[in-house]
Amino acid sequence: MTLAGQPKTSLTARLLLLAVLFVGYVPAVMANTLALFHYGDSPAYQELISSLRESLASNPAGAVKTINIATSPLSPTSLSGLAPSSPLYIAVGTRATERLMALAPDKPVLSVLIPRQNADEIVAKYRPGSGQFAAIYMDQPPQRIIRLLQILLPQAKSLGVLATPATTQMRDEIIAVAAAARLKTTSGTIAQTAQLYQELPSMLDHCDVLYPVPDPRIYASTTIEYLFLTSYRKHVPIIGFSETSVRAGAVAAVYSTPTQIGKQLASTIKSLLTNAEDIITNTYPLLFDIKINIQVARSLGLKITDQAAILLKLQSSEIRK
Amino acid sequence: MQIDIRKWIMALAVVPLTVASLSLSWLFTREQIEQLQQAFSARSVNLATHLAFNTEYGVLAGNQHYLDRLLVTIVSEPDVVAATIFSADKTRLLSRGTPTVLNSPAKLPPRLSHWSEGHRQYISAPIIGARVELNDSYLNELSTSQADTEQSGWVLIEMTTQSITLQKQQIITRAWITTLVLMSFTLLLAVWLSRRILRPVTALSTAVTDLAQGKLESRVSNQSTGELGILERGFNDMAKALEQSHANMQQKIIAATANLQRANAQLEQQNQALELANYRANSANEAKTRFIANMSHELRTPVSSIIGFCRLLSKTNTDDTTHRQITFIEQSASHLLGIINDVLEFASIEEGKITLDPTPFNLREALHEVIYLMRPSAHEQDLTLACLVYDDVPERIIADGYRLKQVLINLIGNAIKFTTQGAIDIRCQILDEEDDEWTLCISIHDSGIGIPADKISSLFQPFGQIDTSNTRRHGGAGLGLMISRDLVQLMGGNITVTSNAEEGSTFEICWPVQSAETIESAKPLSGLAIALYDDNEFSKTTLRHTLSRLGAQCSLYNAEATDSSDMATAYVFSLTRAAIARGDLDTLTKATRKPTILIVNSSDPEQLQPAHYHGAVDYCLPRPAHPHELLTAFSRLGLIDWRDDRQAIATPPSEYRQTKVLVAEDAAINRELIQAQLNHHGIQALIVNDGLAAVEAAKQHAFDLIILDLHMPVMDGITAARRIREAGHNTQTSIVALTADITMTKHEDLSRYGIQEVILKPLSDETLVRLLQVTDHSQQGASEPEPVTDTADGGSDIMPIDIEFLLKQARGNTQFVRQTLDMLQQELTQQQPEIAHLIELEAWEEVRQLVHKIHGAASYCGTTKLKQAAHDMEAALIEQRLQQIEQYWCSLSQCMSEVITAIDQLTLDSQP
């Protein structure tokens, strides 16, 4: 079900990636062990590392040394001693990324399992205008979200986007993609969770489907029930951002698992090991999956076909493009 | 406290059920109230929780309308009076109803809570809605995201508790009503039960009471069932059986009563017969008493006459044969008189008529008198009689000397009777001494036939002798020992016997005595050295003791050792006749050249003559010799200068020639005997036949001594004595009574009639001499047979104390006189206030006794005036002339004072 593909899946993505590529950065020959830093042992991290090791197992040059920052306090000196031969540091998660960016300002860092919002903020904080950093985001590209919406809910004419002040960029990109796909869009921004109670009902009155931008203020524990119950009462399906959001009440979501990102990371490393000239840029996950809540869809009266077929259709659409 | 059955039933029925009802009612009520309270609390909590849960959206969304609808819904619930919603900052958002808590309440805890104030209950709950956690890795990476607000605010519900209070009251009321209904029912049930049970029980109780009161026909109605029915039937059966039993018993009682009446009649007859028999027995006893009295008079009088005439005849010049026959007659008569005396004495003791008369007397003299009497009997069998009186024995004691001598005569007489050879030893000693109380013991040991141990206990049985052959041999009535024992016991002592057959016997009498004054004995043998010999050890001891007391220095004579004998002034040999017959005396006197006195077991005058021993001895005495006899012997031998006063007084008969004696005796023989006795002393007496003649004679003449027989025709001696005293003549004359009646020997019995002494017939010569001696002092005054002058007048010149009379009585012993007068003074000093006190108390008998004592003492102390005054007062007391007592007492008291003063002033040294 997972397909390996080039990150340059679309023109927009390629342009966006070029804007942030490492200009003039050519990684050295990866003859030594790569250092992978992570903070804590969350299941997502372990799944990614496992996937990475598995993917690199066939490549003798791709040895990866994992370092848990939570248990091995880092300093600039110790950091250099831990993996002196590693041409770049691989950071798993936001906290490891930020830590490495702070301790090794000159060392190239490849970050994975990091939201785009966080990656943008870390770069702006530690290496504004500098290269030596690239990330594979956790976020799905807006086109993929809109295509899923169109495959799943072809009758939907309008899309509501609920965002917070921190996710206005993402909101705008989605609105732009939706507009390009000829969908009416409406949006709302809430600074506080409580504002959801005021904004949501009115937004639901003006859209056929709602996409809440993934943000803790929107998907708060006090608001999730209200969010999904209210949309249910308004017969407005919600497109989620992850498998958990589908289980919570969203009708469907497209997402990338840590395994899929690990595979993509392994692929990137292999590429670097084989072609040192390759430029590593920030990129969305290439591999993805979808999840459909059949119960919600049935409650809303939606005729959802087979989930695998939808995934296949979605993957096919990206290949065509 | 008694509780009847009704109360028990009521208590048993009501109390447990009441307790159970109250307990259950309380438990159920409490349970219901708790459930009510819990339901109320649960409902209020549910309301608050539900409201809090549902208001979260409204609060977060600020949806007033939504919230208001919720509050209206809540307030419409029962008991909810108000509902309020507060924001997270405790600001009141919305209220419904009538809330009491408005703004910024203090009590809004973070958890569900409730409290009460007054009739309102408050329930607050935090507003927390449902939580859905995504736990998404993407959201986790957005670590800077804002945390959820935990709490959105509070809801507060106010509920009234009035309805629940009302429900509580209703529950309690229902419980009380139920309990009361149950208790009432229980009470009614108990009353019904108690009546049902008690009715037959009460009937039974009443029937039992009736039955107990004798209503045997009482029955109960048999209406009950079960146990009570059985009880009723049982009671009726029992009552019926009881009634029948009672009827049977009544019949038996009637029959028994009839039998008893018959038995009573028989008993009555027997009683009458017994009374008759008793009357006859008493009559017989009285007849016996009269017989004894007659016996004492009728038998003793002729026997006394026989003895008296024998004694007179023995003094006449008769040949030896006649003299010996007269002596036998006198001895037989004396023996017969002794038997008669024993019988009469026994009768007197049996009747309790014997009383003791303790008076001071000389113990040693009394013992010598007894020995003097018994000595001839002992000498008949050549028995050695010896008496040892220990030095610590007082000279004079206070006891009944007459009875003591009677006992001693009896015991010594018995010892002589039952001893054929050997000796009879008499010891007199003090056994115990405490203050003035002495226990005196006199033992009589003989070497006779002895008494078997098994016979000793029967010694003191009346009319008993160990061997009847002894009775025949020795005669006697067998009463002596029993009389002696009774007399000793009467004296407060006892008599003991220790004996072994063929080894002799020892009789010992011990009795408490009081010592009288001590008299220093004279020592007329001072300076004499006497060599003595006695063939009997005990006799030797007593002889040596006697001589030593008389002042002699004694040594034992040894015929072989002539040196020691030469130192002696005289020799005293004491031997049995058998020893003399053996030639012992010849042996002893072979070398004697000094005066020799022989003491021999003989009373025969012939054998007491020195010539009987062929001049071997100078003087003879019977053994044991009286101290006076010893002194006489030494005096006659010219060894000492000593005179026997007794002989001096008794010997010259012509001394009483002027004494006037009146004798009244009805028996001619006795008249002749007394006449002869008086003539022997040279006295011409006036002798009359009866008491009346004596009274007439006494009116005509003054006498020194009047002797009256008590039993005389026309007028008896007592009446005569009283008449003589009443006549006023012979007031100082001694009147003595003669009687053969042994029971009349107590002169105190007759003193009230003026009789000073009662003398048992026959009138012995010694007694006659003593009577004449007593009257001798008044001989001078009575020499003229003139009528006696009035005592009051005549007494004025009389000196308080007649010293000459006293000295004469004391044989010139001034020390004795001094002691006697001191005793008299002491007694008078003590008795004078005592009599005065008794007169005040009008204790006349006690006064009479004291006055009588003074009278007696005064008679022997030469205090004539005192004696007369005491006599007059005593007579007045006897005759109950109480109005004159005061006068007599003044006179007597004055005399007593005079005598006391005179004794103080008396100086005996100046007296001759």
Coordinates of all heavy atoms in Angstrom, one line a residue, chain A residues 98-160:
Chain A
E98 N 15.6 21.0 18.3 CA 15.9 22.3 18.9 C 17.2 22.2 19.6 O 18.1 23.1 19.6 CB 14.8 22.7 19.8 CG 15.0 24.1 20.3 CD 13.8 24.6 21.1 OE1 12.9 23.8 21.4 OE2 13.7 25.8 21.4
R99 N 17.5 21.0 20.3 CA 18.7 20.9 21.1 C 19.9 20.8 20.3 O 20.9 21.5 20.6 CB 18.5 19.5 21.9 CG 19.5 19.3 23.0 CD 19.3 20.3 24.2 NE 20.2 20.1 25.2 CZ 20.6 21.0 26.1 NH1 20.1 22.3 26.0 NH2 21.5 20.7 27.0
L100 N 19.8 20.1 19.2 CA 21.0 20.0 18.3 C 21.3 21.3 17.6 O 22.4 21.7 17.5 CB 20.7 18.9 17.3 CG 20.8 17.5 17.8 CD1 20.4 16.5 16.7 CD2 22.2 17.2 18.3
M101 N 20.2 22.0 17.3 CA 20.4 23.3 16.6 C 21.1 24.3 17.5 O 21.8 25.1 17.1 CB 19.0 23.8 16.2 CG 18.3 23.1 15.1 SD 19.1 23.3 13.5 CE 18.4 24.9 13.0
A102 N 20.8 24.1 18.8 CA 21.4 25.0 19.8 C 22.8 24.6 20.1 O 23.7 25.5 20.2 CB 20.6 25.0 21.1
L103 N 23.1 23.3 20.1 CA 24.5 22.9 20.5 C 25.5 22.8 19.4 O 26.7 23.0 19.6 CB 24.4 21.5 21.2 CG 23.6 21.5 22.6 CD1 23.5 20.0 23.1 CD2 24.4 22.3 23.6
A104 N 25.0 22.5 18.2 CA 25.9 22.3 17.1 C 25.5 23.3 15.9 O 24.8 22.8 15.0 CB 25.9 20.9 16.6
P105 N 25.8 24.5 16.1 CA 25.3 25.5 15.1 C 25.9 25.2 13.7 O 25.3 25.6 12.7 CB 25.7 26.8 15.7 CG 26.8 26.5 16.7 CD 26.6 25.1 17.1
D106 N 27.0 24.5 13.7 CA 27.6 24.4 12.4 C 27.4 23.0 11.8 O 27.9 22.7 10.6 CB 29.2 24.6 12.5 CG 29.5 26.0 13.0 OD1 28.7 26.9 12.6 OD2 30.5 26.1 13.7
K107 N 26.8 22.2 12.4 CA 26.6 20.8 12.0 C 25.3 20.7 11.2 O 24.3 21.2 11.7 CB 26.6 19.9 13.2 CG 26.8 18.4 12.9 CD 28.2 18.1 12.6 CE 28.4 16.6 12.5 NZ 29.9 16.3 12.3
P108 N 25.3 20.1 10.0 CA 24.1 19.9 9.3 C 23.1 19.0 10.1 O 23.6 18.0 10.8 CB 24.5 19.2 8.0 CG 26.0 19.4 7.9 CD 26.5 19.6 9.3
V109 N 21.9 19.4 10.2 CA 20.8 18.6 10.9 C 19.7 18.3 10.0 O 19.2 19.1 9.3 CB 20.3 19.5 12.1 CG1 19.2 18.7 12.8 CG2 21.4 19.8 13.1
L110 N 19.4 17.0 10.0 CA 18.2 16.5 9.3 C 17.2 16.1 10.3 O 17.4 15.2 11.1 CB 18.6 15.3 8.4 CG 17.5 14.7 7.6 CD1 16.7 15.7 6.7 CD2 17.9 13.5 6.9
S111 N 16.1 16.8 10.3 CA 15.0 16.6 11.3 C 13.9 15.8 10.8 O 13.5 16.1 9.6 CB 14.5 18.0 11.9 OG 13.5 17.7 12.8
V112 N 13.4 14.9 11.5 CA 12.2 14.1 11.1 C 11.2 14.1 12.2 O 11.5 14.5 13.4 CB 12.6 12.7 10.8 CG1 13.5 12.6 9.5 CG2 13.3 12.0 11.9
L113 N 10.0 13.7 11.9 CA 8.9 13.7 12.9 C 8.7 15.1 13.6 O 8.6 15.2 14.8 CB 9.1 12.6 13.9 CG 8.8 11.2 13.5 CD1 9.0 10.2 14.6 CD2 7.4 11.0 12.9
I114 N 8.7 16.1 12.8 CA 8.5 17.4 13.3 C 7.5 18.2 12.5 O 7.4 18.1 11.3 CB 9.9 18.2 13.2 CG1 9.8 19.6 13.9 CG2 10.4 18.3 11.8 CD1 11.1 20.3 14.1
P115 N 6.5 18.8 13.2 CA 5.5 19.6 12.5 C 6.2 20.7 11.7 O 7.2 21.3 12.2 CB 4.6 20.1 13.6 CG 4.8 19.2 14.7 CD 6.2 18.8 14.6
R116 N 5.7 21.1 10.7 CA 6.2 22.2 9.8 C 6.3 23.5 10.6 O 7.2 24.2 10.5 CB 5.4 22.3 8.6 CG 5.9 23.4 7.6 CD 5.0 23.6 6.4 NE 5.4 24.8 5.7 CZ 4.7 25.2 4.6 NH1 3.7 24.4 4.1 NH2 5.1 26.3 4.0
Q117 N 5.2 23.7 11.4 CA 5.1 24.9 12.2 C 6.3 25.0 13.1 O 6.9 26.1 13.2 CB 3.8 24.9 13.0 CG 3.6 26.0 13.9 CD 2.3 25.8 14.8 OE1 1.5 25.0 14.5 NE2 2.2 26.6 15.8
N118 N 6.7 23.9 13.8 CA 7.8 23.9 14.7 C 9.1 24.1 14.0 O 10.0 24.8 14.5 CB 7.8 22.6 15.5 CG 6.7 22.5 16.5 OD1 5.9 23.4 16.6 ND2 6.6 21.4 17.3
A119 N 9.2 23.4 12.9 CA 10.5 23.5 12.1 C 10.8 24.9 11.7 O 11.9 25.4 11.8 CB 10.4 22.6 10.9
D120 N 9.7 25.6 11.3 CA 9.9 27.0 10.8 C 10.3 27.8 12.0 O 11.2 28.7 11.9 CB 8.6 27.5 10.3 CG 8.2 26.8 8.9 OD1 9.1 26.1 8.3 OD2 7.0 26.9 8.5
E121 N 9.7 27.6 13.1 CA 10.0 28.4 14.3 C 11.5 28.2 14.7 O 12.2 29.1 15.1 CB 9.1 28.1 15.5 CG 7.7 28.6 15.2 CD 6.7 28.2 16.3 OE1 7.2 27.4 17.2 OE2 5.6 28.6 16.3
I122 N 12.0 26.9 14.7 CA 13.3 26.6 15.2 C 14.4 27.2 14.2 O 15.4 27.8 14.7 CB 13.5 25.1 15.3 CG1 12.7 24.5 16.5 CG2 15.0 24.7 15.4 CD1 12.6 23.0 16.5
V123 N 14.1 27.1 13.0 CA 15.1 27.7 12.0 C 15.1 29.2 12.2 O 16.2 29.8 12.2 CB 14.6 27.3 10.6 CG1 15.5 28.1 9.5 CG2 14.8 25.8 10.3
A124 N 14.0 29.8 12.3 CA 13.9 31.2 12.5 C 14.7 31.6 13.8 O 15.3 32.7 13.9 CB 12.5 31.7 12.6
K125 N 14.7 30.8 14.7 CA 15.3 31.1 16.0 C 16.8 30.9 16.0 O 17.6 31.7 16.5 CB 14.6 30.3 17.1 CG 15.1 30.6 18.5 CD 14.4 29.7 19.5 CE 14.9 30.0 20.9 NZ 14.1 29.2 21.9
Y126 N 17.3 29.7 15.4 CA 18.7 29.3 15.6 C 19.5 29.6 14.3 O 20.7 29.8 14.4 CB 18.8 27.9 16.0 CG 18.2 27.6 17.4 CD1 17.0 27.0 17.5 CD2 19.0 28.0 18.5 CE1 16.5 26.8 18.8 CE2 18.4 27.8 19.8 CZ 17.2 27.2 19.9 OH 16.7 27.0 21.1
R127 N 18.9 29.4 13.2 CA 19.7 29.5 11.9 C 18.9 30.3 10.9 O 18.6 29.8 9.8 CB 20.1 28.1 11.4 CG 21.0 27.3 12.3 CD 21.4 26.0 11.8 NE 22.1 25.2 12.7 CZ 22.6 24.0 12.5 NH1 22.3 23.4 11.3 NH2 23.2 23.4 13.4
P128 N 18.6 31.5 11.2 CA 17.8 32.2 10.2 C 18.7 32.5 9.0 O 19.8 33.0 9.1 CB 17.4 33.5 10.9 CG 18.4 33.7 12.0 CD 18.8 32.3 12.4
G129 N 18.2 32.2 7.8 CA 18.9 32.5 6.6 C 20.1 31.5 6.3 O 20.8 31.7 5.3
S130 N 20.3 30.6 7.1 CA 21.4 29.6 7.0 C 20.9 28.3 6.5 O 19.8 27.9 6.7 CB 22.1 29.5 8.3 OG 23.1 28.5 8.2
G131 N 21.8 27.6 5.8 CA 21.5 26.2 5.4 C 21.8 25.2 6.5 O 21.5 25.5 7.7
Q132 N 22.3 24.2 6.2 CA 22.7 23.1 7.2 C 21.5 22.6 8.0 O 21.6 21.9 9.0 CB 23.7 23.7 8.3 CG 24.9 24.4 7.7 CD 25.9 23.3 7.1 OE1 25.9 22.2 7.5 NE2 26.6 23.7 6.0
F133 N 20.3 22.7 7.5 CA 19.1 22.1 8.1 C 18.1 21.7 7.1 O 17.8 22.5 6.1 CB 18.4 23.2 9.0 CG 17.2 22.6 9.7 CD1 17.3 21.8 10.8 CD2 15.9 22.9 9.2 CE1 16.2 21.3 11.4 CE2 14.8 22.4 9.8 CZ 14.9 21.6 10.9
A134 N 17.6 20.6 7.2 CA 16.5 20.1 6.3 C 15.6 19.3 7.2 O 16.0 18.7 8.2 CB 17.0 19.3 5.1
A135 N 14.3 19.1 6.8 CA 13.3 18.4 7.6 C 12.4 17.6 6.7 O 12.1 18.0 5.6 CB 12.5 19.3 8.5
I136 N 12.0 16.5 7.2 CA 10.9 15.7 6.6 C 9.7 16.0 7.6 O 9.6 15.5 8.7 CB 11.2 14.2 6.5 CG1 12.4 14.0 5.6 CG2 10.0 13.5 5.9 CD1 12.9 12.6 5.6
Y137 N 8.7 16.8 7.2 CA 7.6 17.2 8.0 C 6.6 16.0 8.3 O 6.5 15.1 7.6 CB 6.8 18.3 7.4 CG 7.5 19.6 7.0 CD1 7.4 20.2 5.8 CD2 8.4 20.1 8.0 CE1 8.1 21.4 5.5 CE2 9.1 21.3 7.6 CZ 9.0 21.9 6.4 OH 9.7 23.0 6.1
M138 N 5.9 16.2 9.4 CA 4.9 15.3 9.7 C 3.6 15.7 9.0 O 2.7 14.9 8.8 CB 4.6 15.3 11.3 CG 5.7 14.8 12.1 SD 5.2 14.8 13.8 CE 4.1 13.5 13.9
D139 N 3.5 17.0 8.6 CA 2.3 17.5 8.0 C 2.2 16.9 6.6 O 3.1 16.5 6.0 CB 2.4 19.0 7.8 CG 2.6 19.7 9.1 OD1 3.8 19.5 9.7 OD2 1.7 20.3 9.7
Q140 N 0.8 16.7 6.2 CA 0.5 16.3 4.8 C 0.4 17.6 4.0 O -0.1 18.6 4.4 CB -0.8 15.6 4.8 CG -0.8 14.3 5.6 CD 0.2 13.3 5.2 OE1 0.3 13.0 3.9 NE2 1.0 12.7 6.1
P141 N 0.9 17.4 2.8 CA 0.7 18.6 1.9 C -0.7 18.9 1.6 O -1.6 18.1 1.6 CB 1.5 18.1 0.6 CG 1.4 16.6 0.7 CD 1.5 16.3 2.1
P142 N -1.1 20.2 1.5 CA -2.5 20.7 1.3 C -3.2 20.0 0.1 O -4.4 19.7 0.2 CB -2.4 22.2 1.1 CG -1.1 22.5 1.8 CD -0.2 21.4 1.6
Q143 N -2.4 19.8 -1.0 CA -3.0 19.1 -2.1 C -3.6 17.7 -1.8 O -4.6 17.3 -2.3 CB -2.0 19.0 -3.2 CG -1.5 20.3 -3.8 CD -0.5 21.0 -3.0 OE1 0.0 20.5 -2.0 NE2 0.0 22.2 -3.4
R144 N -2.8 17.0 -1.0 CA -3.2 15.6 -0.7 C -4.5 15.7 0.1 O -5.4 14.9 -0.1 CB -2.1 15.0 0.1 CG -2.3 13.5 0.3 CD -1.1 12.9 1.1 NE 0.1 13.0 0.3 CZ 1.3 12.8 0.8 NH1 1.5 12.6 2.1 NH2 2.4 12.9 0.0
I145 N -4.6 16.7 1.0 CA -5.8 16.8 1.9 C -7.0 17.1 1.0 O -8.1 16.5 1.1 CB -5.6 17.9 2.9 CG1 -4.4 17.5 3.9 CG2 -6.8 18.2 3.7 CD1 -4.0 18.6 4.8
I146 N -6.8 18.1 0.0 CA -7.9 18.5 -0.8 C -8.4 17.3 -1.7 O -9.6 17.1 -1.9 CB -7.5 19.7 -1.6 CG1 -7.3 20.9 -0.6 CG2 -8.7 20.1 -2.6 CD1 -8.4 21.3 0.3
R147 N -7.3 16.6 -2.2 CA -7.7 15.5 -3.1 C -8.4 14.4 -2.3 O -9.4 13.9 -2.9 CB -6.4 14.9 -3.7 CG -5.9 15.6 -5.0 CD -5.0 14.7 -5.7 NE -3.8 14.4 -5.0 CZ -2.7 15.1 -5.0 NH1 -2.6 16.3 -5.6 NH2 -1.6 14.7 -4.3
L148 N -8.1 14.2 -1.2 CA -8.8 13.2 -0.3 C -10.2 13.7 -0.2 O -11.2 12.9 -0.3 CB -8.1 13.1 1.0 CG -8.9 12.2 2.0 CD1 -9.0 10.7 1.5 CD2 -8.2 12.2 3.4
L149 N -10.4 15.0 0.1 CA -11.8 15.5 0.3 C -12.6 15.3 -1.0 O -13.8 14.9 -0.9 CB -11.6 17.0 0.6 CG -12.9 17.8 1.1 CD1 -12.5 19.0 2.0 CD2 -13.7 18.3 -0.1
Q150 N -12.0 15.5 -2.1 CA -12.7 15.4 -3.3 C -13.1 14.0 -3.6 O -14.1 13.7 -4.1 CB -11.9 16.1 -4.5 CG -11.8 17.6 -4.3 CD -10.9 18.2 -5.4 OE1 -9.9 17.6 -5.9 NE2 -11.3 19.4 -5.8
I151 N -12.1 13.1 -3.3 CA -12.4 11.7 -3.6 C -13.5 11.2 -2.6 O -14.4 10.5 -3.0 CB -11.1 10.8 -3.4 CG1 -10.1 11.2 -4.5 CG2 -11.4 9.3 -3.4 CD1 -8.7 10.6 -4.3
L152 N -13.4 11.6 -1.4 CA -14.3 11.1 -0.3 C -15.6 11.8 -0.4 O -16.7 11.1 -0.3 CB -13.6 11.4 1.0 CG -14.2 10.6 2.2 CD1 -14.0 9.1 2.0 CD2 -13.6 11.1 3.5
L153 N -15.6 13.0 -0.6 CA -16.9 13.8 -0.6 C -17.0 14.6 -1.9 O -16.8 15.8 -1.9 CB -16.9 14.7 0.6 CG -16.8 14.1 2.0 CD1 -16.6 15.1 3.1 CD2 -18.1 13.3 2.3
P154 N -17.2 13.9 -2.9 CA -17.2 14.6 -4.2 C -18.4 15.6 -4.3 O -18.3 16.6 -5.1 CB -17.4 13.5 -5.2 CG -18.0 12.3 -4.4 CD -17.5 12.5 -3.1
Q155 N -19.4 15.4 -3.5 CA -20.5 16.4 -3.6 C -20.3 17.6 -2.8 O -21.1 18.6 -2.8 CB -21.8 15.7 -3.1 CG -21.9 15.5 -1.6 CD -21.2 14.2 -1.1 OE1 -20.4 13.6 -1.9 NE2 -21.3 13.8 0.1
A156 N -19.2 17.6 -2.0 CA -19.0 18.8 -1.1 C -18.6 20.0 -2.0 O -17.8 19.9 -2.9 CB -17.8 18.5 -0.2
K157 N -19.2 21.1 -1.7 CA -19.0 22.3 -2.5 C -18.2 23.4 -1.7 O -17.6 24.2 -2.3 CB -20.3 23.0 -2.9 CG -21.2 22.1 -3.7 CD -20.6 21.6 -5.0 CE -21.6 20.8 -5.8 NZ -21.0 20.2 -7.0
S158 N -18.2 23.3 -0.4 CA -17.6 24.3 0.4 C -16.7 23.7 1.5 O -17.1 22.6 2.0 CB -18.6 25.3 1.0 OG -19.5 24.6 1.8
L159 N -15.7 24.3 1.8 CA -14.8 23.8 2.8 C -14.6 24.9 3.8 O -14.3 26.0 3.5 CB -13.4 23.4 2.2 CG -12.3 23.0 3.2 CD1 -12.7 21.8 3.9 CD2 -11.0 22.9 2.5
G160 N -14.8 24.5 5.1 CA -14.4 25.4 6.1 C -13.1 25.0 6.8 O -12.8 23.8 7.0

